[in-house]
Amino acid sequence: MGIFGSLIKKEAIHIVRDKRTMFITLLMPLFLLILFGFAISTEVKNIKIVTIVDKHTDMSRDIEQKLAVNEYFTYLGQAAPGDVERLLRTGEIDAALFIRTDGDKLDTQIIVDASNTTSAKTSTGYIQGVLSGSSQSQPPILTQTLYNPQMKSAYNFVPGIMGMIFILICAIMTSVSIVREKENGTMDLLLVSPTKPGTIILGKLIPYFILSCIILAIMLLIAYTVLELPLSASVFNVIILSLIYITLSLSIGLLVSTIVNTQLNALIVSAVMFMVPIIMFSGMIFPIDNMPRILQCITTIIPARWYISAMRKLMIQQLPFGYIIRETVILGSMTIVLLGLAITKFKNSR
Amino acid sequence: MNNQKKVISVKDLTKKFGSFTAVDHISFDVMEGEIFGFLGANGAGKTTAMRMLCGLSFPTSGSGTVAGFDITTDAEDIKRNIGYMSQKFSLYSDLTVIQNLRLFSTIYGMSDKEFKSASENLFKELEMEDMRNTLVGEIPVGWRQKLAFATATIHNPKVVFLDEPTGGVDPVTRRRFWELIYQASSKGMTIFVTTHYLDEAEYCNRVSIMVDGKISALDNPTALKEKYHATTMDEVFRIVAKQAKREE
């Protein structure tokens, strides 16, 4: 076995013998995907609603019935106008619908608890949907939801979680493992040997690259089976782009390791400088289009933003490769710049 | 000693970190087979000087050769001919004894066959035959130190650099460690060793004392003691190190 082979074998032993880290590394993607895929959902369900009706007509009864059968609402019946404020305050209801009969027309008013803006907006939308459906004066609006017809939030989260996991595993684990060797002095033993610095770096990076590929395989498997993402020819593109992104994350880890000198600092720098921006500015949770212009500019330097955007196009919209050329070029250039920078810094550290 | 070959030869070697001069124009020679003690207080510049000789750090100015190769241009050739043991215990503690040895022997270009005979001898010499499959993290510190030395010398280097090899080890183990050093020296290896323990300085053929980045004294222990009218190296060191102005 050559030098390169023994370095990789040694690193593999480090990874496998460190059972706790290994366990977390393999389970975390699973855990996050399942958690975001099923438990955490931005859909609003079980909106508790009452109606306040001044006069019973067929039209008002029609609305009440629709609320009662709709799975998004928990219809609690009618309430007296004076009770509404108390019910909202105690949280017994989320919304109230006032219906006033005016000749053969209905006047309606929605009162909604907006302490949580997301659910308030969504429930108002739902109620309006119910009302427009029952109003005879105007035809119902036809809406067709493309790409994610059931509006599953799992679809939305899968690309985000992938963008986060790879930075987490590649950047944090690589930087910590290199800095650990610096701390223990074993890096000096390697550097003082005839082994070329490039070989040492590759010997460190390749095992983590392989580990990341295994994790990628696990995540894709879950995404396409348990979470039922539509499977199509773009899976190939998903893998290619993910490999670029993994390389990028490894470069970040290497760069961090050349800057810091303790494992703790490596962890803090990787976590604070990379994790937080990814969660905030990658578009994973907060839509980038809604951000102020200055923040939108900041998001352009965050690799995860481009990866997540491309992943959405590939995995959810099922677009062909032509539509993600921009993202691919940006991620590719970032990788080359960061890797170049990291290797130069590593070589110049003496 | 004058007719012997110079293995390390250094002239005006200097290393600056910004405005701080860690090593300030040092010059010395080390002969083949010699045990050369490199003494100095913390922060005197010992480790920096040693790292330059090993090719881990580039000198700011000055020149030097190790094992016949120039330290500024032939660092790769130097690396093939030296062994290095750093002040921290530095082997992989989650690898077994034999895995560590195998890794470093491969890095130094030994074939499987060469490794097999070399490691068998080593295990016998170190009396570690029953520990070969133990994780390095689980063996006692004294044994680890011996193992680290064995790892540094497995490829029969011309020069071995030992950076405070006996730090944090009890006197008995230190004594045994020095026996290993003598053994290696008798095989023709040149030993370049830094240490904090001044009793160890007595074991060296020649000793240099660094103060504030400069070499303030260099001779064999007997001559040094005579020169400074001292009875032990400890006294010599105190007298020489008193000149220090630099804070740690």
Side-chain angles (χ1 to χ4, degrees), chain A residues 256-274:
Chain A
V256 170
S257 73
T258 59
I259 299 168
V260 302
N261 279 318
T262 64
Q263 290 180 59
L264 187 66
N265 281 347
L267 196 68
I268 292 172
V269 170
S270 307
V272 175
M273 284 184 54
F274 297 104

Side-chain angles (χ1 to χ4, degrees), chain A residues 278-344:
Chain A
I278 286 174
I279 295 172
M280 306 295 283
F281 297 132
S282 67
M284 173 190 170
I285 297 176
F286 308 113
I288 292 168
D289 294 334
N290 295 354
M291 291 178 191
R293 185 140 292 278
I294 181 132
L295 289 186
Q296 285 194 29
C297 292
I298 293 176
T299 63
T300 55
I301 58 163
I302 291 168
R305 177 218 157 134
W306 302 107
Y307 177 70
I308 293 173
S309 141
M311 281 295 130
R312 286 211 172 114
K313 290 184 189 171
L314 289 175
M315 297 179 93
I316 303 171
Q317 288 183 276
Q318 316 267 319
L319 295 177
F321 190 74
Y323 288 85
I324 57 153
I325 287 176
R326 188 162 79 125
E327 283 89 347
T328 313
V329 169
I330 291 174
L331 284 174
S333 328
M334 283 179 166
T335 309
I336 292 166
V337 170
L338 282 171
L339 195 62
L341 204 65
I343 291 177
T344 328

Side-chain angles (χ1 to χ4, degrees), chain A residues 1-3 6-7 9-10 13-15 17 180-197 349-350, chain B residues 15 51 54-58 75-76 79-80 82 84-86 88-92 94-96 99 103-104 106-108 112 135:
Chain A
M1 196 164 30
I3 294 177
S6 8
L7 283 176
K9 188 182 155 198
K10 169 217 111 189
I13 296 177
H14 289 322
I15 296 175
R17 291 242 166 98
R180 185 192 298 141
E181 294 221 27
K182 273 207 226 171
E183 268 189 314
N184 293 347
T186 46
M187 191 48 96
D188 279 351
L189 280 193
L190 294 179
L191 288 174
V192 84
S193 75
T195 317
K196 294 211 160 48
S349 59
R350 56 186 191 153
Chain B
K15 178 84 183 182
R51 290 174 67 89
C54 298
L56 283 175
S57 167
F58 281 120
E76 295 305 312
K79 287 175 177 180
R80 249 180 283 280
I82 60 168
Y84 174 79
M85 181 177 161
S86 81
K88 289 171 244 167
F89 167 75
S90 49
L91 288 175
Y92 296 102
D94 54 349
L95 261 60
T96 64
Q99 280 171 335
L103 173 69
F104 285 101
T106 312
I107 285 174
Y108 281 99
D112 278 319
L135 291 185

Side-chain angles (χ1 to χ4, degrees), chain A residues 14 180-189, chain B residues 84-97 100-101 104 126 128 131 134-152 162-169 173 177:
Chain A
H14 289 322
R180 185 192 298 141
E181 294 221 27
K182 273 207 226 171
E183 268 189 314
N184 293 347
T186 46
M187 191 48 96
D188 279 351
L189 280 193
Chain B
Y84 174 79
M85 181 177 161
S86 81
Q87 53 189 339
K88 289 171 244 167
F89 167 75
S90 49
L91 288 175
Y92 296 102
S93 48
D94 54 349
L95 261 60
T96 64
V97 171
N100 266 293
L101 281 173
F104 285 101
L126 300 177
M128 289 180 81
M131 287 190 192
T134 315
L135 291 185
V136 165
E138 288 168 4
I139 63 176
V141 180
W143 293 95
R144 281 196 234 169
Q145 226 84 5
K146 282 161 68 173
L147 184 67
F149 184 74
T151 314
L162 307 171
D163 193 359
E164 284 167 28
T166 51
V169 175
T173 319
F177 191 83

Side-chain angles (χ1 to χ4, degrees), chain A residues 234-255:
Chain A
S234 64
V235 176
F236 179 73
N237 295 334
V238 167
I239 293 172
I240 295 285
L241 202 73
S242 299
L243 292 183
I244 296 179
Y245 186 66
I246 288 172
T247 316
L248 177 79
S249 311
L250 287 171
S251 316
I252 292 177
L254 185 63
L255 192 62

Side-chain angles (χ1 to χ4, degrees), chain B residues 103-120:
Chain B
L103 173 69
F104 285 101
S105 70
T106 312
I107 285 174
Y108 281 99
M110 287 173 83
S111 69
D112 278 319
K113 227 172 107 188
E114 285 171 313
F115 172 71
K116 217 163 190 177
S117 65
S119 64
E120 286 312 311

